[in-house]
Amino acid sequence: MTITELFEKGQTCYKEGKKDSALIFFSLCETRDVESASQEERRFYIRALAQSTQLYSLIYDYEKASNRLLRALSLSRRYEIQEETPKIYVEQGALLMTYATQKRENKYFEQAEEAYRKAFWAAKRYGQWHTMITAFINLGNRMFSSNRIDSIQAEIEAFKSCTEARHEYNYQYAYYLQEGLIYMEKHEYDRARDAFRKQMRSLPPDDKYSYLLYGSYASMVKSFVYEERYDSAIVYELQMLDLATRMNMKDGQTVALYDLSEMYRLNGDSLKSAEYYNQALRHKDSLLTRNKLDEVAVMQVVQQLEANKSELHGYKRYTLYVSCLLFLIVGIGVVWFLVWKRRPARESQAVAPAEKYMKSTLDDETKEQLRAKIQEVFEQNREIFTPNFNLDRLAELCESKPKYVSQVINQLYGSNFSSLLNQYRIKEACRIINEEDKLGNYTLEAIAGLVGFKSRATFHTTFKRVMGQTPGEYIKTVRKKMS
């Protein structure tokens, strides 16, 4: 059988839901000699690699998925078959989103966003409407979840102007998504939810659309969070978890569990929050153990994403630049780590010398007013226990500038932002540990997450620095007093 015949057999099996059989046919395409094949055969060879990427991702074999994706990208460039790149970019975005979700790191989310954005414009350019809509849905959902709807206005306008795309089955779903996003931007939350409900009703009663239904639930959750209606948000979050569990959507389960932990925390139920956080950690660990996607493979995918910019936009190739930059970043990271390891156990609380602020326009009265606002945030606003809380956000809450907030913390607290934040977080961790009725219900990972630390190791190190003993030692001390 030719490459084309094998691909078409695989596609037929895929549409019939026979994914294992489809993967066999797509894999057989890879056994054919692509060098001696015609340009048309090469096109189907690349399509088979892209479809294999998706299927391997579905069974959580991310090593094979990333290998196929990289080969598809390489061949599309080598044989100048650029019309196949939109589908590849979509799979690239999905792979990076998976890794970002499991690692919960912004840099991978950003790369996934870039891949979806490239897929959208490339698909529009080649008139591949289904792929364009798929990219738009993924990009829209991502920007909605990260509160950056305004950053995709160009894509929204381009989507609305594409009358040619209206015959695609997923067009109506995407149309209601952009309608909901526009209402969210205007703070018309009830109308936004009406649009998201129309999204759900536009889907056929078929399990293969479960991932789209999951996205609609997520939009509903976000709309309620904007209004701080956490009880309602939890209702839809539980539906997300139920759907993901029923359809064996492992990544979806992890996201829903983390979100439920956060929803219950915001709703004041710390016990439920810790329960779901523990479940999320166990689920994430099992996923990371099960899949084979490592950071090296992800960085290769990212480099290919950067390299392909030249084909899509006519930019100069700069893969070497990206590689050098990555090595430079790694080198700086290694040096920083070695320096950090050698520093004294007690964190330096070096206060900026007075000379540094000689040109500052802050007078003593203004400093005291700002200090009071900082104190109020740290003592009354539980947002400081969220993982991404930073100096810029503190400045927003204090209605000031980051440089002024930093100056006041340095001069009036004799500290720096990170140290002060960690003191309050560790204080909260101690409060949780000292609650006798809940002490046995929390793991150290759960406590770390509840007070804003992204890892147990960082929590452990910071706790010892602040308290002079490890969390485990502190827990033993508390239990001894209780007995």
Side-chain angles (χ1 to χ4, degrees):
M1 296 177 69
T2 65
I3 294 173
T4 303
E5 289 170 338
L6 287 169
F7 175 81
E8 289 175 347
K9 282 279 188 182
Q11 273 296 82
T12 300
C13 292
Y14 181 81
K15 290 176 181 177
E16 292 174 352
K18 301 173 183 176
K19 292 184 173 62
D20 289 341
S21 299
L23 190 54
I24 290 171
F25 283 110
F26 293 143
S27 298
L28 283 171
C29 289
E30 298 176 45
T31 66
R32 300 300 188 260
D33 183 11
V34 70
E35 289 290 335
S36 59
S38 67
Q39 195 74 341
E40 186 66 15
E41 290 273 281
R42 289 169 178 167
R43 182 173 286 105
F44 283 104
Y45 188 97
I46 293 170
R47 288 181 188 175
L49 288 171
Q51 287 289 67
S52 295
T53 297
Q54 183 184 87
L55 290 170
Y56 277 120
S57 294
L58 288 173
I59 58 175
Y60 307 103
D61 194 336
Y62 297 123
E63 183 178 46
K64 289 181 179 177
S66 59
N67 287 339
R68 266 76 184 166
L69 179 61
L70 289 168
R71 183 157 170 73
L73 282 165
S74 176
L75 291 176
S76 67
R77 294 171 58 204
R78 180 177 176 182
Y79 297 121
E80 298 183 349
I81 307 177
Q82 294 308 304
E83 62 269 27
E84 295 303 318
T85 56
K87 174 67 173 173
I88 296 171
Y89 289 143
V90 167
E91 297 304 331
Q92 192 173 39
L95 200 61
L96 288 164
M97 275 296 292
T98 296
Y99 197 68
T101 300
Q102 293 173 10
K103 284 286 189 179
R104 301 180 76 79
E105 292 187 22
N106 285 334
K107 60 181 177 181
Y108 299 118
F109 281 120
E110 290 168 3
Q111 294 292 347
E113 292 161 12
E114 174 69 9
Y116 286 138
R117 202 182 295 271
K118 285 165 62 63
F120 176 87
W121 292 109
K124 184 176 185 296
R125 174 183 174 186
Y126 294 116
Q128 298 172 12
W129 309 122
H130 175 76
T131 301
M132 184 196 80
I133 295 170
T134 299
F136 177 76
I137 291 169
N138 286 314
L139 184 62
N141 284 333
R142 171 58 197 157
M143 293 309 182
F144 185 18
S145 67
S146 58
N147 300 326
R148 288 179 293 146
I149 300 172
D150 60 328
S151 69
I152 56 167
Q153 292 305 314
E155 284 77 13
I156 289 176
E157 292 305 316
F159 167 78
K160 288 164 65 177
S161 67
C162 274
T163 55
E164 306 98 320
R166 291 179 181 176
H167 65 279
E168 295 292 341
Y169 80 86
N170 55 354
Y171 177 84
Q172 206 66 27
Y173 179 93
Y175 178 83
Y176 290 127
L177 171 63
Q178 63 85 24
E179 188 177 80
L181 294 180
I182 290 171
Y183 284 134
M184 288 297 300
E185 274 286 87
K186 297 176 180 178
H187 307 294
E188 298 179 21
Y189 303 119
D190 286 336
R191 298 183 75 176
R193 283 190 284 272
D194 284 342
F196 299 143
R197 291 188 185 98
K198 289 176 183 176
Q199 260 194 318
M200 298 180 201
R201 291 196 291 270
S202 73
L203 296 173
D206 192 318
D207 285 344
K208 70 180 180 181
Y209 302 112
S210 297
Y211 72 99
L212 291 176
L213 181 59
Y214 184 94
S216 297
Y217 286 152
S219 296
M220 293 292 287
V221 168
K222 192 69 177 177
S223 71
F224 284 119
V225 170
Y226 268 69
E227 294 186 288
E228 299 183 1
R229 294 172 57 184
Y230 302 121
D231 284 336
S232 298
I234 287 169
V235 170
Y236 280 95
E237 198 74 64
L238 288 169
Q239 291 185 60
M240 285 173 63
L241 179 60
D242 178 69
L243 177 64
T245 303
R246 181 165 51 83
M247 300 308 301
N248 200 30
M249 297 158 59
K250 301 293 186 183
D251 299 319
Q253 286 177 268
T254 303
V255 170
L257 288 168
Y258 273 119
D259 286 352
L260 278 167
S261 173
E262 181 64 7
M263 292 302 102
Y264 278 112
R265 186 187 71 78
L266 292 169
N267 210 33
D269 191 337
S270 57
L271 189 59
K272 276 281 190 183
S273 175
E275 176 188 330
Y276 279 107
Y277 191 81
N278 279 329
Q279 288 186 48
L281 285 174
R282 289 195 297 271
H283 211 273
K284 186 186 81 167
D285 289 344
S286 68
L287 266 181
L288 292 175
T289 301
R290 180 175 179 178
N291 78 55
K292 300 176 182 178
L293 182 64
D294 60 20
E295 196 140 357
V296 174
V298 172
M299 293 315 297
Q300 288 179 315
V301 172
V302 168
Q303 288 179 44
Q304 286 290 349
L305 173 66
E306 298 294 341
N308 271 266
K309 282 184 177 178
S310 58
E311 278 76 8
L312 185 61
H313 302 293
Y315 299 148
K316 292 181 179 180
R317 298 172 187 265
Y318 57 93
T319 308
L320 180 61
Y321 168 80
V322 173
S323 301
C324 291
L325 182 60
L326 289 170
F327 279 117
L328 178 62
I329 292 170
V330 171
I332 292 172
V334 170
V335 172
W336 179 88
F337 178 76
L338 292 174
V339 172
W340 182 85
K341 289 289 285 184
R342 291 184 179 182
R343 70 179 180 173
R346 177 171 295 184
E347 181 178 1
S348 171
Q349 292 187 347
V351 181
E355 292 80 7
K356 181 177 178 180
Y357 299 114
M358 284 182 66
K359 296 182 180 180
S360 173
T361 57
L362 290 183
D363 56 34
D364 290 342
E365 183 180 354
T366 304
K367 287 180 189 177
E368 279 299 326
Q369 291 173 349
L370 185 51
R371 184 202 61 76
K373 289 182 179 179
I374 293 170
Q375 189 87 6
E376 182 180 357
V377 171
F378 276 115
E379 292 185 354
Q380 298 183 26
N381 194 323
R382 294 194 61 81
E383 191 176 338
I384 69 170
F385 305 123
T386 57
N388 296 320
F389 188 79
N390 55 29
L391 178 62
D392 288 343
R393 179 56 180 155
L394 175 59
E396 285 180 20
L397 293 172
C398 294
E399 299 178 334
S400 183
K401 294 181 179 180
K403 66 178 182 179
Y404 295 147
V405 172
S406 180
Q407 178 183 343
V408 169
I409 291 175
N410 272 256
Q411 292 186 320
L412 302 191
Y413 284 89
S415 182
N416 56 51
F417 169 76
S418 295
S419 296
L420 186 62
L421 175 63
N422 284 336
Q423 287 175 28
Y424 277 93
R425 286 178 168 178
I426 296 304
K427 179 181 177 182
E428 174 67 6
C430 291
R431 185 192 67 76
I432 294 172
I433 291 170
N434 277 280
E435 289 185 12
E436 182 177 0
D437 58 328
K438 297 179 181 177
L439 184 59
N441 293 311
Y442 291 137
T443 64
L444 289 180
E445 288 88 350
I447 296 172
L450 286 172
V451 298
F453 289 96
K454 294 182 178 180
S455 72
R456 173 174 172 169
T458 304
F459 172 64
H460 187 280
T461 303
T462 307
F463 194 101
K464 186 173 183 180
R465 186 183 304 128
V466 174
M467 299 300 295
Q469 58 184 155
T470 67
E473 291 169 343
Y474 184 81
I475 288 173
K476 288 179 183 178
T477 303
V478 170
R479 284 178 173 159
K480 199 170 185 180
K481 290 179 181 178
M482 291 178 178
S483 60

